[in-house]
Amino acid sequence: MSLECTKWEMAVCEVTVIHSWSSPCSLSTSLMYSFAQRDDVEVLDEPLYANFLRVSGLHKPYRDQLLSKMESDGNKVVKDIISRPGSKKYRFCKHMSKQKVLGLTEDLMKNGKHFILIRNPLDILSSFDNDALPTFSELGFVELVCIYSELYELGKPPVVIDAAELQQDPEDTLRGLCNDLEIPYQPAMLKWEAGPKSIDGLWAPWRYKTVHKSTGFKQERKDLQPFPFSLYALLEQSLPLYNLLRRHVKKKRSLLSPPLPLPDLPVPANEKLLAWVGDEIVTRESAKVSVFDSVVQGGDSVWEGLRVYNGKIFKLEGHLDRMFDSAKALAFENVPTRDEIKEAIFQTLVRNGMFDNSHIRLSLTRGKKVTSGMSPAFNLYGCTLIVLAEWKPPVYDNTHGIVLVTASTRRNSPNTLDSKIHHNNLLNNILAKIEGNNAKADDAIMLDKDGYLSETNATNIFIVKKGRVLTPHADYCLPGITRATVMNLVVEQQLILEERRISLSEVHTADEIWTTGTMGELSPLVEVEKL
């Protein structure tokens, strides 16, 4: 059955309008040509352009000609041109995002199907000629974000596709787009003839010279060109907005390997949280540090784990004491004050509404470097403070108990790296944790260089033998805050406490064992080495 309407039917033929919103130099004209190859689509090239020029007063060499030949009343365009009956089932409207100006009727966004085409500003800015450099407003990224938000609020979150996907795999990307728009895919969309088209806007001689040479979605050039650093400020402004929109792309191209599917979070509520990074609160996806930060360059950072109960942070002062001691031992400079760190913690908790059953990963890095390298002499910006608060119950099953195995990885000696410094360089612990994971245990016991008990990869450890409570000296292990609390409680209860060397056989023959840590609280051991 033909999708064409007869002349008699044309006045009542229903047309579904497909709106494409993009920035300039984003393959939007190529995509328009692609849709024009379909037998069920008519296309309109930037029907709101004249209205935009009238409202903005922007000068273009074709301005007078355009205003004389195109309807410049935006609302008339929406009603009489975009929404008019037609001879095809679909009408594809290519729009530049900046052309969505104030005063346009709400029907433009409420009706039809919408999608957003984005392109990395690295590629957009590199495509401009030196004699026609854009401004930030001309790029239209702010408007693209606003368009996404407006459609989302209308209950019509738009599909977002990336021009890079079109270039890498046109067929798969077009199939996905058609599927999201609920229209059938047609193979004809992959090719078109070179040269000017009757559907081109009258501005085509000025803007379409390159696309007129194309016959399909051109693959990305392998011979990449240096970025024009005179446009670096524009890139800094545009790239975060591009990345914000790119989060909504269903299928993302990866240079190194295929992207992994999004994992489920252990606590779904943590999908939306706020973190403190540097001197501000940011969203989860924006919570990042510089590639020049010392924690990236060499794990050069100290940290504390804090837990919140009924509106209070357990042993906050003790944790801060240890953090400042660790920072001093590592010769950190320009460290935030105690009050500043507290304020950052409290602001983060309040903003997240976390007053119970939550955990804070508090980190203080040596800060950003002026250039990559090991030397702290490169750290001239001051420390970086990170407050990561999450909804997080205790990480172990403290009701039914935990299982431990002994790792072959030995705990660092104070001759090499003192465990009393609570640093972020946790490879020693991670290697032991890998052994625990491979053994399908909850954690792994770590011994010191002489084979005596030190701690687990994440917690301190206590054993009970014949009424005596034993725990290792804090020579090869972190002197934990919860560990100290338990030791004080043991003494208060007038039990016998011994802090001494403990052999592995004593662990195997103990009457009772438990571990302590802020993140896991007190965890009873029910099995070790499957003995």
Side-chain angles (χ1 to χ4, degrees):
M1 179 179 177
S2 174
L3 293 173
E4 299 282 347
C5 296
T6 65
K7 290 183 179 179
W8 182 81
E9 293 172 321
M10 189 175 297
V12 292
C13 182
E14 181 180 354
V15 175
T16 298
V17 181
I18 299 171
H19 299 276
S20 167
W21 299 95
S22 65
S23 296
C25 300
S26 297
L27 301 187
S28 58
T29 305
S30 295
L31 193 56
M32 179 181 73
Y33 290 170
S34 171
F35 271 83
Q37 307 313 302
R38 299 176 59 103
D39 60 12
D40 56 358
V41 171
E42 65 169 303
V43 301
L44 296 178
D45 191 6
E46 301 183 34
L48 294 169
Y49 198 1
N51 178 71
F52 169 73
L53 288 183
R54 177 184 64 82
V55 172
S56 68
L58 190 68
H59 173 73
K60 292 290 182 181
Y62 44 79
R63 174 186 169 89
D64 292 340
Q65 183 183 4
L66 188 148
L67 290 175
S68 67
K69 293 188 175 182
M70 284 185 70
E71 175 60 63
S72 60
D73 184 323
N75 289 328
K76 287 184 179 180
V77 171
V78 174
K79 179 181 178 182
D80 300 333
I81 299 176
I82 292 177
S83 303
R84 71 171 185 260
S87 59
K88 300 287 181 75
K89 187 173 183 179
Y90 304 105
R91 177 174 294 126
F92 180 92
C93 295
K94 168 194 157 192
H95 303 293
M96 294 294 102
S97 59
K98 62 186 178 183
Q99 293 170 8
K100 186 184 178 302
V101 296
L102 293 174
L104 289 173
T105 174
E106 295 179 351
D107 291 341
L108 175 65
M109 306 305 286
K110 287 183 176 180
N111 299 329
K113 302 174 182 288
H114 297 259
F115 73 91
I116 291 175
L117 172 65
I118 60 173
R119 192 183 187 195
N120 194 319
L122 273 169
D123 299 316
I124 292 177
L125 294 171
S126 297
S127 67
F128 278 92
D129 295 329
N130 289 331
D131 56 351
L133 298 180
T135 63
F136 178 64
S137 61
E138 287 176 320
L139 294 178
F141 277 102
V142 171
E143 288 80 3
L144 278 179
V145 173
C146 291
I147 287 168
Y148 183 93
S149 298
E150 182 176 348
L151 289 167
Y152 184 87
E153 291 172 1
L154 288 171
K156 302 171 58 174
V159 178
V160 181
I161 63 171
D162 196 314
E165 311 298 336
L166 275 174
Q167 292 178 311
Q168 184 184 41
D169 193 341
E171 181 175 349
D172 186 62
T173 304
L174 288 172
R175 283 184 180 275
L177 176 60
C178 290
N179 182 67
D180 289 329
L181 294 174
E182 299 179 321
I183 65 174
Y185 166 75
Q186 293 187 6
M189 299 174 73
L190 293 173
K191 296 290 183 181
W192 52 85
E193 293 185 1
K197 314 286 190 293
S198 60
I199 57 175
D200 289 341
L202 62 82
W203 51 87
W206 287 270
R207 290 171 42 190
Y208 293 176
K209 293 179 182 178
T210 300
V211 73
H212 281 165
K213 298 176 184 178
S214 70
T215 58
F217 292 100
K218 184 179 178 182
Q219 294 290 321
E220 285 188 288
R221 295 174 299 169
K222 299 300 181 183
D223 54 334
L224 294 177
Q225 300 298 314
F227 179 77
F229 280 89
S230 59
L231 301 178
Y232 191 78
L234 281 178
L235 181 65
E236 283 190 309
Q237 292 173 304
S238 305
L239 198 55
L241 299 175
Y242 162 77
N243 287 328
L244 183 65
L245 290 165
R246 190 170 183 265
R247 294 175 194 166
H248 303 289
V249 175
K250 287 185 177 179
K251 182 180 179 182
K252 298 183 179 69
R253 185 183 63 129
S254 175
L255 178 65
L256 302 179
S257 61
L260 297 174
L262 288 176
D264 294 328
L265 299 181
V267 180
N270 287 327
E271 181 180 0
K272 297 178 180 179
L273 55 77
L274 301 169
W276 183 285
V277 181
D279 60 358
E280 62 180 343
I281 290 178
V282 294
T283 61
R284 179 184 177 114
E285 290 300 317
S286 299
K288 300 176 176 67
V289 296
S290 168
V291 294
F292 288 98
D293 198 282
S294 289
V295 73
V296 179
Q297 296 276 324
D300 190 2
S301 175
V302 297
W303 70 282
E304 291 294 323
L306 311 174
R307 187 164 282 285
V308 182
Y309 300 96
N310 298 319
K312 294 184 179 180
I313 299 173
F314 177 70
K315 298 290 184 180
L316 175 60
E317 298 300 335
H319 281 287
L320 291 180
D321 286 342
R322 188 169 63 186
M323 171 170 273
F324 280 104
D325 285 347
S326 297
K328 185 175 182 180
L330 293 175
F332 280 17
E333 296 182 354
N334 299 306
V335 176
T337 67
R338 197 181 194 93
D339 286 342
E340 288 171 339
I341 293 176
K342 283 184 177 181
E343 183 63 23
I345 293 171
F346 295 141
Q347 282 195 33
T348 305
L349 289 175
V350 170
R351 291 297 189 184
N352 281 292
M354 294 180 179
F355 307 112
D356 194 20
N357 201 32
S358 52
H359 179 270
I360 302 166
R361 177 84 172 207
L362 178 67
S363 300
L364 184 69
T365 84
R366 195 183 296 272
K368 191 169 66 172
K369 294 176 178 291
V370 293
T371 186
S372 61
M374 183 188 302
S375 176
F378 296 146
N379 292 85
L380 302 178
Y381 295 97
C383 293
T384 302
L385 178 66
I386 302 170
V387 184
L388 173 58
E390 295 180 275
W391 299 108
K392 182 173 288 189
V395 295
Y396 304 114
D397 185 348
N398 295 338
T399 300
H400 298 96
I402 62 173
V403 175
L404 298 179
V405 295
T406 301
S408 62
T409 303
R410 298 302 173 95
R411 193 69 177 93
N412 285 329
S413 165
N415 288 326
T416 54
L417 186 58
D418 193 347
S419 296
K420 292 182 178 63
I421 302 174
H422 203 194
H423 54 82
N424 277 68
N425 200 325
L426 299 176
L427 286 178
N428 182 231
N429 308 70
I430 291 169
L431 289 171
K433 180 60 176 175
I434 290 171
E435 294 187 57
N437 288 348
N438 290 340
K440 294 181 171 51
D442 293 290
D443 268 335
I445 292 172
M446 300 185 73
L447 307 179
D448 65 24
K449 68 179 182 64
D450 295 320
Y452 291 101
L453 181 64
S454 174
E455 60 181 350
T456 77
N457 55 272
T459 57
N460 294 123
I461 190 165
F462 289 79
I463 75 170
V464 177
K465 185 70 173 178
K466 295 182 178 180
R468 296 172 180 266
V469 179
L470 313 178
T471 193
H473 288 293
D475 294 331
Y476 288 80
C477 70
L478 179 74
I481 303 297
T482 308
R483 171 184 180 270
T485 302
V486 169
M487 292 172 71
N488 289 336
L489 289 172
V490 168
V491 173
E492 287 178 8
Q493 295 300 313
Q494 298 182 351
L495 299 172
I496 299 173
L497 174 68
E498 293 184 12
E499 189 177 9
R500 64 168 175 83
R501 280 184 161 186
I502 301 171
S503 67
L504 190 56
S505 65
E506 290 180 281
V507 174
H508 293 159
T509 60
D511 300 325
E512 184 181 353
I513 302 175
W514 71 82
T515 64
T516 63
T518 302
M519 184 177 286
E521 300 179 333
L522 273 65
S523 306
L525 179 69
V526 295
E527 188 176 296
V528 60
E529 326 288 14
K530 299 187 181 298
L531 294 177

